[in-house]
Amino acid sequence: MKKAPLKARVLFQSLGMVVLAHQFASPAFAQTEPSSAPQASTQSSGDQLGEIIVTAQKRSQSLNNVGLSITAADGEQLTNLGIRETGDLVKISPGLTFTKSQDGTPLFTIRGVGFNDYTLGASPAVSVYVDQVPLVYSAYTQGATLDLERVEVLKGPQGILFGQNSTGGAINYIAAKPTTDFQAGVKASYGRFGTFDGEAYVSGPITDTLGFRLAGSTTQSDDWQYSYTRDDKLGKQDILRGRLLLDWKPTDTLSFLFSANGWRNKSDTQAAQLVGLKLQQDASAPGLYDPEETLRRIAAFQAYPLAPGNARAADWDMGRNLKRDDSLWQLSLRGDLELGSGITLTSLTSYTRFHQDYGLDRDGTTLQNAGVESRGNVKTFTQELRLSGESDRLNWVLGGNYAKNKIRSSDNFLVNDSTNTAILPGYGVDNGDTTITENIRDLAAFGNVEYKATDQLTLLAGARYTDTKNDYTACMRGGPGQQFVFWQLSQALSGVAQPAPDANTCVNMDETTYLLIRTPYESRLHEDNVSWRVGVNYKPTRDVLLYALVSRGYKSGNFPTVPASTTAQFAPVKQESVTAYEIGIKATALDRRLQVNAAIFHYTYDDKQIRGLVIDPIFNQLEKLVNVPKSRINGAEIDITARPLSGLTLRAAGTWIDSKVLDFVGINNDRVLGDYRGSELPFSPKWQLVGDAEYRWPLSSDLNAFVGANVLYNSKTNSTLGAPASSRIKAFATLDLRAGISGPDDKWTLSVWGRNVTDTDYWTNQFVTQDVIVRYTAMPATYGVSASYRF
């Protein structure tokens, strides 16, 4: 009986789509046949909405011919909306949420599917690509928005055609390509907090067969956070990005695209904002703990003032370097050879080097309680080979992938003032340096076919087999006090006398015997899976597409980076899977003045990976990766774009999500052991809405003007299961405004803008860490001017 309301909603929504399709298919709504020539731009032209060309199926297609939920925008739109990084895409794509992990790593969730973890080698649930080259880890994505032709946000499992399995979706960036004639351009903006954003490119031919494009950008700003307990500031930005593309066509059937791109980030890390206490020891504890020292630490936290209600107010450790020194460079080469009869052989090779070195304070106090000093590097090699064919009725792709990732990471956790580390009189745990190595190898074979059974009906099917191996080692060491304490604890718990550890001894204890393991802990995770999808596209007219799609995607298992008391915390989570059912409609009407895209979906979510907790007999709360056995997600979305009159473009889009845990007994971030059936999934707001309006009109024969506004709304959500107050993320709405003038053919523009102009105080993550409840706030109101010029 409980399932009847869902079935009824699905039935009525399905009937509504059929009725809508019938209305759009009537002769009164006929439109001119869209152009078959690929167009990079999504901009409107004249009184009609422009056609959108995407490459979601690894070939150029009109968005209205792809039976998949996709949000697309071109480079000019991204600039106008102030989208400078991947997280800003929430302004155009409802269903996508962005947050920062506890260590500042960008995290993306689509339709409730995401992975809240900050381990350097953690594969994301939402994968990101630039020109089909994977940015394997979320930390790689900082330079992805440079000099773009467009971006595509693909919703639902995307493990078939792209090189990295993902359960949530994919974000596909398409870089602007070399031009056949000489072109150059520059754009810059200056705004609040002394923020300067500059970008420039130059492009053109070198020879008759070789073209180039060179682009670079920088972001520089002053501090935006301030300490509310002393005279201090934080939040400077110092980011550089660059890309060189070489497009070589030695013959009519052979072409190569070489890319060298990179970035470096020397910005400050963000300080957390203290909003509450969740002490791990709230009274003097007998036995292992030093009673006097424990009480002193408790009193220090209880006396600390909470942050005021201001997005800029925070606090952090004094005397520490809280900057990043992160960098990435990547080389890639794509080759395409036309073999005849519509068959093309494609090779895509990439090599990436990433380095990180940063200090961060995530407890929002000057107490040394949850400080992090992180260093790490990753080497990534990927290779894809594929054959693709195209004919009047059949399109197919067959290929394979190989990927190798070598990860080295060292994280020093500073906990000298935490209430749960005052162990043994005269000794305390002051820090724990956890070092991990991971060698990850992926092999995959994939295929996809689209068969046009009739002029109206197209059938789709695809599958990918993936085999993954992860060889993992982990070791925690510390200063002399840390080594001594763990040695004493191990002897007391195991009842076995052991030699004293030296500086090189791993002091993690065996989970069953409590003996020091002394040497690095080693483990291997070997998994394989078959992701697949089947679907049908039906076009009753050239202006309407009805589609139905069933797909399954996987995300590989992971090992954690944690300061482990015992080896139990090093245990990996196994791979998760999502089986997605979706039906939708894409319809154009009113002589291409109206576009309506809508979909309803149901996901079954197995073994969702989350960063959970374990209750440790010594340190109380410690972190561990865990699987949530069963969850489900129901949802619907709609996206309407209209051109009611010349120059005026209106867009309204929204996603409704109902997520629910069906089976999980565990511990949430509130340290509550319980049965969490019925809980909403983390970072899954029930409602996400975006709206945009822009009006352009001529001021003279050579001068045009425009005004625009963008609205974003997220309903409340939470960062952990069970929706405790300590992890609540309140509902918020933001408003951005823009206005400006432009010259002939938009050769130059000058504009003013404001973002979050109502100065809404909101946050994207709130969590418990050590003894405190903290949050990462979003930027307050910013405003400035922008200019661009094309030569």
Side-chain angles (χ1 to χ4, degrees):
M1 293 296 294
K2 292 183 179 179
K3 293 185 178 179
L6 171 61
K7 292 181 178 179
R9 287 199 301 270
V10 172
L11 175 61
F12 282 117
Q13 289 168 330
S14 301
L15 290 174
M17 286 188 174
V18 172
V19 172
L20 182 62
H22 174 74
Q23 294 296 324
F24 275 88
S26 64
F29 288 89
Q31 72 170 56
T32 305
E33 179 70 31
S35 169
S36 61
Q39 301 173 21
S41 176
T42 61
Q43 288 290 303
S44 304
S45 176
D47 295 335
Q48 296 180 326
L49 296 172
E51 185 184 26
I52 302 174
I53 300 298
V54 297
T55 52
Q57 308 295 326
K58 289 195 172 178
R59 59 191 178 92
S60 295
Q61 294 174 278
S62 170
L63 179 62
N64 283 356
N65 292 331
V66 181
L68 182 70
S69 292
I70 303 172
T71 300
D74 68 15
E76 183 178 348
Q77 290 172 321
L78 299 177
T79 298
N80 290 341
L81 293 173
I83 294 176
R84 298 183 299 169
E85 56 187 36
T86 301
D88 294 331
L89 292 175
V90 297
K91 295 181 181 182
I92 64 170
S93 185
L96 171 67
T97 61
F98 162 75
T99 187
K100 292 181 179 179
S101 74
Q102 294 187 18
D103 281 7
T105 307
L107 303 174
F108 309 109
T109 301
I110 294 181
R111 292 177 171 176
V113 181
F115 184 34
N116 181 21
D117 186 49
Y118 52 80
T119 301
L120 180 56
S123 59
V126 177
S127 52
V128 181
Y129 303 84
V130 176
D131 289 338
Q132 302 180 19
V133 176
L135 300 177
V136 179
Y137 302 114
S138 297
Y140 285 12
T141 63
Q142 296 182 48
T145 57
L146 171 65
D147 192 32
L148 294 178
E149 179 181 300
R150 69 180 182 279
V151 63
E152 304 164 4
V153 180
L154 286 60
K155 301 175 183 179
Q158 299 297 321
I160 306 301
L161 290 176
F162 289 92
Q164 183 179 6
N165 277 348
S166 59
T167 45
I171 299 171
N172 189 22
Y173 289 104
I174 294 87
K177 300 301 186 294
T179 52
T180 57
D181 59 336
F182 179 81
Q183 297 182 15
V186 61
K187 52 188 176 184
S189 69
Y190 185 80
R192 190 182 182 192
F193 308 119
T195 303
F196 173 79
D197 275 299
E199 181 175 313
Y201 75 90
V202 59
S203 176
I206 298 176
T207 69
D208 291 341
T209 60
L210 179 64
F212 82 100
R213 189 178 185 102
L214 180 64
S217 72
T218 185
T219 300
Q220 305 289 326
S221 77
D222 297 329
D223 303 302
W224 71 276
Q225 290 189 296
Y226 69 86
S227 169
Y228 61 91
T229 65
R230 65 189 191 278
D231 184 15
D232 203 358
K233 293 183 179 181
L234 189 71
K236 289 183 178 179
Q237 294 185 84
D238 180 3
I239 306 172
L240 298 176
R241 314 170 191 88
R243 180 187 295 127
L244 170 65
L245 291 177
L246 297 174
D247 187 3
W248 184 38
K249 297 180 180 178
T251 71
D252 292 338
T253 59
L254 180 63
S255 63
F256 295 96
L257 180 65
F258 170 78
S259 173
N261 69 88
W263 54 263
R264 72 111 172 104
N265 184 358
K266 293 191 176 183
S267 305
D268 292 347
T269 56
Q270 182 174 349
Q273 189 178 72
L274 177 68
V275 295
L277 298 181
K278 185 66 78 170
L279 297 180
Q280 304 207 62
Q281 294 291 342
D282 55 9
S284 178
L288 296 172
Y289 283 83
D290 182 338
E292 182 178 344
E293 178 62 17
T294 303
L295 289 174
R296 186 196 69 79
R297 297 186 185 192
I298 291 171
F301 280 103
Q302 291 176 337
Y304 210 94
L306 301 182
N310 185 319
R312 298 181 60 195
D315 225 344
W316 53 91
D317 294 347
M318 293 183 287
R320 286 183 57 210
N321 181 5
L322 299 178
K323 290 184 177 293
R324 292 187 175 274
D325 188 4
D326 300 349
S327 61
L328 174 143
W329 60 265
Q330 183 181 72
L331 304 175
S332 68
L333 178 65
R334 172 174 175 163
D336 291 280
L337 176 63
E338 296 178 15
L339 302 176
S341 301
I343 299 176
T344 302
L345 173 65
T346 299
S347 171
L348 188 59
T349 309
S350 71
Y351 180 73
T352 309
R353 291 287 299 268
F354 172 77
H355 170 79
Q356 73 175 23
D357 186 351
Y358 65 83
L360 179 141
D361 184 17
R362 65 186 184 194
D363 76 332
T365 75
T366 56
L367 302 172
Q368 196 171 94
N369 175 54
V372 180
E373 303 285 350
S374 183
R375 301 166 303 281
N377 61 80
V378 186
K379 300 176 184 179
T380 299
F381 174 79
T382 67
Q383 174 63 56
E384 177 177 309
L385 282 174
R386 67 176 186 260
L387 282 170
S388 59
E390 185 174 356
S391 64
D392 292 341
R393 292 287 182 183
L394 185 66
N395 290 278
W396 57 270
V397 178
L398 183 66
N401 288 98
Y402 170 82
K404 182 73 173 179
N405 292 281
K406 294 183 178 181
I407 302 148
R408 304 291 182 267
S409 177
S410 177
D411 291 282
N412 193 10
F413 298 91
L414 310 179
V415 291
N416 197 44
D417 292 323
S418 301
T419 64
N420 67 333
T421 60
I423 298 176
L424 302 179
Y427 288 92
V429 177
D430 54 0
N431 65 75
D433 194 344
T434 300
T435 303
I436 69 164
T437 66
E438 292 184 83
N439 293 312
I440 305 172
R441 188 272 295 152
D442 293 323
L443 286 174
F446 62 91
N448 190 71
V449 63
E450 299 180 26
Y451 176 65
K452 194 171 184 180
T454 71
D455 289 342
Q456 290 78 36
L457 184 66
T458 301
L459 307 177
L460 308 92
R464 174 189 289 266
Y465 171 77
T466 303
D467 180 273
T468 300
K469 289 182 180 179
N470 186 340
D471 292 316
Y472 171 86
T473 66
C475 173
M476 187 173 76
R477 302 179 181 92
Q482 167 108 335
Q483 303 294 87
F484 177 82
V485 167
F486 269 75
W487 175 47
Q488 295 288 356
L489 291 174
S490 176
Q491 294 186 117
L493 293 171
S494 68
V496 177
Q498 302 168 58
D502 59 29
N504 295 317
T505 300
C506 298
V507 294
N508 309 100
M509 292 177 284
D510 181 87
E511 62 185 284
T512 56
T513 66
Y514 290 101
L515 294 172
L516 294 182
I517 64 170
R518 296 187 172 269
T519 58
Y521 169 84
E522 297 182 356
S523 184
R524 166 178 279 194
L525 182 63
H526 186 191
E527 299 175 312
D528 63 350
N529 59 70
V530 177
S531 52
W532 52 265
R533 68 175 176 179
V534 293
V536 58
N537 293 342
Y538 178 63
K539 297 202 71 171
T541 75
R542 60 191 177 187
D543 302 329
V544 176
L545 170 68
L546 298 172
Y547 69 89
L549 186 67
V550 183
S551 60
R552 175 174 293 172
Y554 289 84
K555 188 182 91 63
S556 61
N558 276 101
F559 288 95
T561 298
V562 291
S565 169
T566 72
T567 55
Q569 287 178 259
F570 290 141
V573 283
K574 60 184 177 181
Q575 63 189 356
E576 69 177 28
S577 68
V578 170
T579 305
Y581 306 84
E582 180 173 333
I583 60 173
I585 182 174
K586 298 182 179 183
T588 307
L590 300 177
D591 192 26
R592 295 177 63 182
R593 292 173 178 263
L594 177 66
Q595 178 70 42
V596 178
N597 300 335
I600 58 175
F601 50 89
H602 169 73
Y603 290 178
T604 59
Y605 202 166
D606 294 335
D607 296 314
K608 174 178 173 58
Q609 301 169 3
I610 63 172
R611 180 173 279 262
L613 298 174
V614 293
I615 299 301
D616 185 81
I618 304 167
F619 297 102
N620 195 358
Q621 169 195 312
L622 292 176
E623 294 182 319
K624 184 180 186 297
L625 293 180
V626 297
N627 289 105
V628 177
K630 294 287 184 182
S631 308
R632 67 102 176 112
I633 301 170
N634 296 321
E637 63 186 21
I638 189 167
D639 191 333
I640 303 173
T641 304
R643 174 65 69 85
L645 55 89
S646 181
L648 177 62
T649 304
L650 304 175
R651 178 173 180 247
T655 299
W656 169 78
I657 291 175
D658 177 31
S659 65
K660 184 175 292 186
V661 173
L662 302 179
D663 177 22
F664 179 64
V665 176
I667 303 170
N668 69 0
N669 279 353
D670 229 13
R671 302 183 204 141
V672 177
L673 174 64
D675 186 340
Y676 288 98
R677 284 179 295 180
S679 297
E680 294 182 354
L681 295 178
F683 303 106
S684 304
K686 189 173 290 291
W687 292 99
Q688 290 177 271
L689 308 172
V690 299
D692 195 84
E694 183 170 280
Y695 181 56
R696 292 177 175 265
W697 73 97
L699 293 176
S700 68
S701 59
D702 294 327
L703 202 61
N704 299 297
F706 65 89
V707 294
N710 182 272
V711 177
L712 167 66
Y713 171 78
N714 272 25
S715 63
K716 65 180 181 180
T717 185
N718 53 278
S719 64
T720 189
L721 300 177
S726 61
S727 69
R728 192 163 298 141
I729 301 171
K730 71 175 184 178
F732 66 89
T734 62
L735 172 64
D736 296 355
L737 300 174
R738 59 189 186 270
I741 56 175
S742 61
D745 298 323
D746 291 332
K747 185 174 183 179
W748 62 266
T749 62
L750 180 64
S751 63
V752 295
W753 47 265
R755 292 163 192 147
N756 188 17
V757 295
T758 57
D759 203 22
T760 299
D761 181 13
Y762 70 102
W763 55 92
T764 61
N765 201 354
Q766 180 167 296
F767 52 90
V768 175
T769 181
Q770 289 296 97
D771 293 292
V772 295
I773 305 170
V774 294
R775 64 178 59 143
Y776 284 133
T777 57
M779 289 291 290
T782 56
Y783 38 79
V785 297
S786 296
S788 66
Y789 188 84
R790 289 187 289 110
F791 296 92

